Amino acid sequence: MSWLHLGSYFLGGAFLANALPHLVSGLRGEPFQSPFATPRGEGLSSSTVNVLWGFFNLIVGYLLVCRVGEFALLETRDVAALGLGALLLSLFCARHFGQFHGGNRPADS
């Protein structure tokens, strides 16, 4: 197993995790932040742009995980690399987008 393969799976996990909020927002017909908005990563993009951006992330994630090396679901290192990439990007997105949607300061009950 090459460390380049593990790096590819790590990045693939990040791209797959990034695909989820864009696809979900787009499929629901809701605007969401994207790199194409103004200001970049803060402004809202249309649901169509988010579907396209989410699908692009899905394709890149697939290529990095399924077309580099031989990813094996039963190989702990492969799954750990993918999961760590997904987890770290998810935590970053939660903090970054939480500032726009109130997720960083949930209302007191």
Side-chain angles (χ1 to χ4, degrees):
M1 170 63 56
S2 167
W3 65 271
L4 289 173
H5 292 163
L6 292 176
S8 176
Y9 304 153
F10 176 86
L11 291 175
F15 274 95
L16 292 172
N18 194 46
L20 293 175
H22 295 285
L23 285 173
V24 169
S25 293
L27 290 170
R28 292 184 52 164
E30 298 173 350
F32 189 70
Q33 288 83 5
S34 85
F36 308 105
T38 304
R40 178 171 284 199
E42 295 180 13
L44 297 175
S45 291
S46 71
S47 56
T48 302
V49 167
N50 275 290
V51 166
L52 293 172
W53 182 240
F55 197 75
F56 172 79
N57 278 269
L58 194 62
I59 291 170
V60 172
Y62 163 78
L63 292 173
L64 288 170
V65 174
C66 297
R67 302 307 243 167
V68 175
E70 293 187 24
F71 181 83
L73 281 174
L74 298 178
E75 184 65 47
T76 302
R77 288 182 299 177
D78 292 0
V79 175
L82 183 135
L84 187 60
L87 175 65
L88 291 179
L89 185 78
S90 297
L91 289 172
F92 169 79
C93 288
R95 296 298 300 164
H96 177 71
F97 296 119
Q99 67 184 331
F100 304 115
H101 302 281
N104 291 344
R105 296 176 315 278
D108 296 335
S109 299

